[in-house]
Amino acid sequence: MKNKLTILIIAILLPFIANSQTTANAKWTKVLGGTSTESPNYGNARVKVMTKTSMAIDDQENLFIATGTYSNDGDVGQRTGNTEIDTLADMDCWVIKMNSSGDTLWTKVFGGTKADSPLGIVADNKGGCLVAGLTYSDDGDFLNTNHHGTNEIEDGFVAILDSNGEISKIKQYGSKANTGVDEDGESVTSGGYDGLTAIIATSDGNYMCVGYSNSYADDLKPLDETQFWAGWFLKINTNGTKLSSKKISHDVRSPEDYRMILYDVVEAEDGKFVALGDLMLTMNTTYWIVKTDGVDNTKKEWSYEYYDGSGMQQPVALTKKNKDTYAVTGWVSNKGADQTTPVYGGADTWVFEVDDSDGTILKQNLFGGTAGDIPYDMITLKNENLLVAGYTFSFDGYANGGYGQTDMWLLELSKNTLDTVRMHKIGGAGLERAYAVTESKDGKAFYIAGYIAGYLVDYLKRVKV
């Protein structure tokens, strides 16, 4: 097996053994990729390029995985990026469709000669999917897709793929930068940075995307001087036509000083939306959650920031637990004002629940060992327990045991107490990370997408795949 970052998809059965480290019973394991790197991970320094691996499941239990790739061969095939290898400008989008038995039904790579990053995916329940992300390209598959301005500034995009994996439409959303003259008569440029980080199906048959924008023209007009680098709600129909587009910020913080970005969104029972993001001042961030109709910044039901501590922290995922409650996860490196448990060491996984009516924290817990313990995804299971997926460097505490440098890390948390019901680690001698997770329709298995960088032979032998 090659020593590269390669996408790994596993279907596992986890027997219920309360408060224990359980043993995996793998239904199947698939490793897909080419001779370069798949499933890369970059954070954001507001923003340049940000990547993640996302997964969706449809009514027929087909899996859709979206990730970035640098490969030009193997399971990826011929892509449209330039000839440089493993540079930000060379990344393309890669989408995989698999059935519940792990058979690959199709893969699709698309992009242009600049960086193209898929960040969210949703199944359309007609055999296809919609992928949202950001792109700098105006050529290749992004030719004539309405790129705004130069290819040095990103736009958000949505790609619609049919049941055969063919692109039926790609559309870019955003704004060109605005050029003006300052008080000294110097030419200045502002705005134009727009990206989409998540997409969900809505109860009215359309789709809601969230992300970030510092624009105030084109898809982001009219000008609102109270909104600069803010969260972005973009609603589209099944054909990608824009229905509404609105920047929404946290009023307590100055939009001129803070950069705001949304990472995840769910629809509330009342048809409004709850989104998770962060507020960034210099390099420090705080968790931010907002409930809104997604259309009018003045109609936010509530908007709060959480944690407010020193050091580094990062929110990553939001899930709707029930009609009254949402659960949030991310990582923290120091104890903050809203956190009740001291950190264990390195970076720890923080999980907390908030009330739908006002955003109040209802309960919380912290998980980790003496090294770094990072979540990437969280879902609500059919039994209303929470499942957190990520990776860990630790061999103790809530991440006891292990196999290599980093291991995939799964935590099931009680719906009543947020205590661990079970913990499982998957790994070999190298680096493994779980990036996305979903539950099977019968609730008896989990599908996990992530990457390996090294050798997973030890794990494959243990589960007899």
Side-chain angles (χ1 to χ4, degrees):
M1 187 177 295
K2 64 181 186 294
N3 188 19
K4 291 287 186 180
L5 301 184
T6 305
I7 192 164
L8 170 71
I9 303 98
I10 302 176
I12 61 174
L13 295 170
L14 294 182
F16 182 88
I17 305 174
N19 300 313
S20 70
Q21 179 175 345
T22 58
T23 301
N25 176 14
K27 297 177 66 176
W28 50 261
T29 303
K30 299 291 182 179
V31 179
L32 302 174
T35 53
S36 191
T37 297
E38 282 72 54
S39 196
N41 177 64
Y42 303 117
N44 71 86
R46 274 335 92 135
V47 163
K48 190 54 180 178
V49 173
M50 176 170 53
T51 71
K52 69 178 181 181
T53 298
S54 302
M55 181 162 52
I57 189 169
D58 68 10
D59 289 342
Q60 290 74 47
E61 202 151 333
N62 294 310
L63 301 173
F64 297 84
I65 300 104
T67 191
T69 181
Y70 296 112
S71 290
N72 214 30
D73 55 10
D75 299 306
V76 178
Q78 190 71 32
R79 61 191 180 86
T80 55
N82 59 39
T83 57
E84 300 172 54
I85 299 298
D86 288 5
T87 66
L88 293 180
D90 196 41
M91 186 168 58
D92 277 343
C93 305
W94 188 33
V95 181
I96 304 161
K97 181 180 179 181
M98 310 177 76
N99 64 22
S100 60
S101 298
D103 301 316
T104 301
L105 302 179
W106 50 256
T107 74
K108 180 68 176 180
V109 61
F110 63 92
T113 54
K114 293 291 185 177
D116 314 297
S117 180
L119 295 172
I121 190 168
V122 62
D124 64 11
N125 287 321
K126 296 184 292 185
C129 61
L130 288 81
V131 180
L134 63 91
T135 180
Y136 292 82
S137 295
D138 58 4
D139 56 6
D141 295 302
F142 287 98
L143 182 66
N144 299 323
T145 59
N146 194 35
H147 190 78
H148 298 83
T150 72
N151 55 18
E152 299 301 318
I153 298 178
E154 74 270 28
D155 271 352
F157 79 85
V158 173
I160 303 173
L161 280 64
D162 66 20
S163 59
N164 296 314
E166 298 301 320
I167 296 174
S168 59
K169 176 171 286 190
I170 296 181
K171 183 170 175 56
Q172 297 193 48
Y173 310 85
S175 171
K176 60 182 177 294
N178 289 75
T179 302
V181 178
D182 65 15
E183 58 186 14
D184 297 320
E186 298 291 331
S187 176
V188 293
T189 301
S190 62
Y193 296 89
D194 314 294
L196 298 174
T197 59
I199 182 171
I200 61 170
T202 57
S203 57
D204 60 4
N206 297 302
Y207 297 93
M208 178 64 83
C209 309
V210 295
Y212 62 90
S213 175
N214 73 343
S215 298
Y216 42 89
D218 300 316
D219 290 321
L220 282 305
K221 62 184 181 184
L223 170 65
D224 181 349
E225 294 182 350
T226 67
Q227 310 294 312
F228 184 55
W229 199 297
W232 181 21
F233 283 81
L234 172 71
K235 191 172 186 179
I236 61 174
N237 66 14
T238 56
N239 197 40
T241 301
K242 180 183 68 177
L243 301 178
S244 64
S245 175
K246 186 65 180 181
K247 291 164 65 174
I248 291 180
S249 65
H250 182 52
D251 296 337
V252 176
R253 298 297 189 179
S254 166
E256 296 181 356
D257 297 330
Y258 278 79
R259 293 183 171 187
M260 307 176 190
I261 184 169
L262 296 173
Y263 298 107
D264 208 353
V265 63
V266 296
E267 186 174 5
E269 291 292 310
D270 57 10
K272 295 183 180 181
F273 298 91
V274 177
L276 169 69
D278 67 32
L279 314 174
M280 183 177 185
L281 179 64
T282 61
M283 292 304 292
N284 291 322
T285 61
T286 60
Y287 288 59
W288 172 40
I289 307 177
V290 58
K291 184 175 182 183
T292 174
D293 64 0
V295 177
D296 191 338
N297 189 55
T298 65
K299 293 183 179 178
K300 293 193 298 289
E301 189 164 316
W302 47 263
S303 176
Y304 290 116
E305 59 181 303
Y306 307 82
Y307 184 67
D308 197 22
S310 61
M312 298 298 292
Q313 55 271 341
Q314 181 65 58
V316 297
L318 170 75
T319 184
K320 182 179 177 181
K321 185 177 176 185
N322 53 49
K323 66 182 181 64
D324 299 316
T325 310
Y326 309 94
V328 176
T329 192
W331 58 266
V332 296
S333 60
N334 286 292
K335 186 177 184 298
D338 291 308
Q339 186 185 317
T340 58
T341 306
V343 296
Y344 297 100
D348 293 319
T349 292
W350 189 29
V351 178
F352 62 96
E353 295 181 3
V354 299
D355 188 271
D356 172 74
S357 63
D358 58 8
T360 300
I361 293 181
L362 300 173
K363 61 173 74 77
Q364 60 175 293
N365 210 340
L366 196 69
F367 306 93
T370 52
D373 314 286
I374 305 295
Y376 275 104
D377 198 10
M378 179 171 62
I379 60 172
T380 301
L381 302 175
K382 289 178 173 55
N383 60 12
E384 287 194 14
N385 286 349
L386 301 175
L387 182 68
V388 180
Y391 74 96
T392 177
F393 287 93
S394 296
F395 293 88
D396 55 5
Y398 285 96
N400 187 47
Y403 308 109
Q405 298 176 58
T406 66
D407 295 318
M408 291 185 174
W409 187 40
L410 299 177
L411 290 173
E412 183 174 349
L413 308 179
S414 165
K415 64 181 179 181
N416 297 317
T417 64
L418 284 189
D419 292 328
T420 52
V421 174
R422 51 184 169 178
M423 183 276 288
H424 185 69
K425 299 175 80 171
I426 299 170
L431 300 170
E432 294 82 39
R433 296 182 179 182
Y435 277 158
V437 65
T438 192
E439 187 179 19
S440 64
K441 293 300 181 181
D442 61 10
K444 295 181 180 179
F446 308 138
Y447 301 102
I448 307 161
Y451 81 68
I452 59 173
Y455 297 90
L456 205 60
V457 174
D458 291 340
Y459 171 73
L460 299 182
K461 286 180 179 177
R462 283 196 301 274
V463 298
K464 296 181 175 59
V465 174

